[in-house]
Amino acid sequence: MAGCAKGLHKCMFSLRLLRNPRLQNERFISTSLRRQAPAHSSEEPPKFSPPPKPVIIDKTQTVASLRKFLSPEFVPPRQRADPFKFAIERKDMIRRRKVLHIPEFYVGSILAVTMADPNASGKVNRFVGICIQRGGKGLGATFVLRNIIDNQGVEICYEMYSPRIQKIDVLKLEKRLDDNLMYLRDALSEYSTVDPEMKPVPFSPTGEVPVNKIRVRMRPKPWSKRWERPKFNIQGIRFDLALTPEQMEHAQKWAQPWLEYDMLREYDTSNLEERIHSEVQREMSK
């Protein structure tokens, strides 16, 4: 046994001796190549290019967590909750929405509308502006965009379901303190100015829509309407900078405080909106 162990020890020692010169030769070859590489390569090293930004996809959001939005033109006016006319119009509106993507937007959002030019075949025009009003029901729904171009206020009223509209882009999704911004006609031009080359601002399809709580400064009177009167209930105007306390007190003479207790003025459309929303989603998925 001792002889066998001694022979095995000599064999292992000889293998180590053979292995060490081999490792030394490999190290010498690798270092020599590393030293000679800069001498033969006269090209400049490649410029650093940063890696692309990762795209984060939140897979935890389900369909149920997405924000429910029903365009207001789908809700019929009061005393016409379920007429045959609006049921037929809803089918035509859904058929049009399958061809043209009409995104979610509110009064105060910044839109870009691409429309076919009726006076020049094959040509289109694109207008960027802030939505100051939404009106109409059914196929007669309209929205108004406003912008300041060459120091002149420009407003265009679009028919939402017009076949001339080719594309509607939401550049910035937001709400305002008021549901009607027609008083921007009497405000300073800086509150209506939008860059025609504005890039879209990303927004989340979940959660609440951001509310822009800006309050505009008005030009000196006269205005197109008496916005200080209580019937308009304007929240987005700095009346303290445009009117005196006596004028504000005088405007309160037209207040009608008894209207808030009139229950017949309330129109609960929650159940109707839920039913129409499910109908629209079902028809759009076909």
Side-chain angles (χ1 to χ4, degrees):
M1 293 295 292
C4 294
K6 188 176 182 181
L8 182 61
H9 179 70
K10 290 182 179 180
C11 182
M12 294 295 295
F13 181 74
S14 59
L15 289 175
R16 290 194 191 96
L17 293 178
L18 292 175
R19 186 180 178 184
N20 290 334
R22 184 179 179 182
L23 291 175
Q24 292 178 359
N25 293 335
E26 291 178 355
R27 292 173 183 172
F28 175 76
I29 293 173
S30 61
T31 53
S32 60
L33 290 175
R34 193 178 298 119
R35 292 173 182 173
Q36 294 176 1
H40 293 286
S41 60
S42 59
E43 298 179 358
E44 297 181 356
K47 296 182 179 179
F48 173 76
S49 59
K53 295 182 178 180
V55 179
I56 302 175
I57 301 177
D58 190 1
K59 296 183 178 180
T60 60
Q61 299 291 345
T62 59
V63 178
S65 63
L66 297 178
R67 182 172 52 248
K68 289 186 178 181
F69 172 75
L70 180 65
S71 196
E73 70 269 8
F74 280 100
V75 182
R78 191 175 183 181
Q79 297 179 353
R80 295 182 178 273
D82 194 15
F84 182 72
K85 170 181 177 294
F86 285 94
I88 296 299
E89 283 191 353
R90 277 200 300 271
K91 294 184 180 296
D92 292 339
M93 293 157 64
I94 294 173
R95 191 178 298 113
R96 175 59 176 163
R97 283 176 173 264
K98 290 183 178 180
V99 178
L100 173 67
H101 174 62
I102 301 178
E104 171 189 5
F105 68 93
Y106 304 87
V107 172
S109 301
I110 299 177
L111 308 179
V113 179
T114 304
M115 195 171 188
D117 192 348
N119 302 317
S121 60
K123 294 186 178 180
V124 297
N125 56 64
R126 183 175 183 267
F127 184 77
V128 177
I130 179 173
C131 180
I132 62 174
Q133 187 184 47
R134 292 190 66 168
K137 297 292 183 181
L139 291 174
T142 60
F143 62 97
V144 181
L145 298 186
R146 176 179 174 83
N147 199 353
I148 303 297
I149 300 176
D150 294 335
N151 298 325
Q152 294 293 330
V154 180
E155 294 181 2
I156 300 181
C157 181
Y158 292 98
E159 297 179 357
M160 189 173 298
Y161 295 94
S162 172
R164 291 170 50 198
I165 294 181
Q166 298 184 357
K167 192 176 182 181
I168 301 177
D169 296 323
V170 178
L171 302 182
K172 188 176 183 181
L173 182 67
E174 66 179 10
K175 293 181 179 180
R176 290 293 185 93
L177 295 175
D178 304 300
D179 295 332
N180 194 311
L181 301 181
M182 298 299 287
Y183 57 79
L184 289 181
R185 296 174 174 178
D186 303 318
L188 298 179
S189 59
E190 61 188 56
Y191 299 104
S192 301
T193 305
V194 182
D195 184 9
E197 303 297 332
M198 177 180 176
K199 301 298 181 182
V201 178
F203 59 90
S204 173
T206 61
E208 297 293 334
V209 178
V211 179
N212 189 349
K213 298 183 179 181
I214 186 174
R215 300 179 64 192
V216 303
R217 298 182 59 182
M218 305 293 283
R219 294 193 182 98
K221 279 195 168 187
W223 299 337
S224 59
K225 292 183 180 180
R226 298 182 183 271
W227 302 111
E228 71 275 9
R229 293 193 173 181
K231 68 175 182 179
F232 295 108
N233 193 23
I234 301 298
Q235 305 294 328
I237 295 180
R238 292 288 305 272
F239 289 114
D240 55 336
L241 301 179
L243 302 175
T244 62
E246 291 78 12
Q247 290 175 323
M248 291 299 300
E249 184 179 358
H250 179 72
Q252 295 301 319
K253 293 183 178 180
W254 282 268
Q256 298 175 340
W258 58 85
L259 292 181
E260 61 177 327
Y261 302 103
D262 188 0
M263 298 181 63
L264 294 179
R265 289 173 57 89
E266 298 181 1
Y267 179 31
D268 186 11
T269 60
S270 56
N271 295 332
L272 181 61
E273 290 180 6
E274 188 68 26
R275 181 171 58 84
I276 295 177
H277 183 268
S278 59
E279 177 187 348
V280 172
Q281 293 296 326
R282 183 174 61 255
E283 294 294 332
M284 291 293 292
S285 61
K286 290 183 179 179

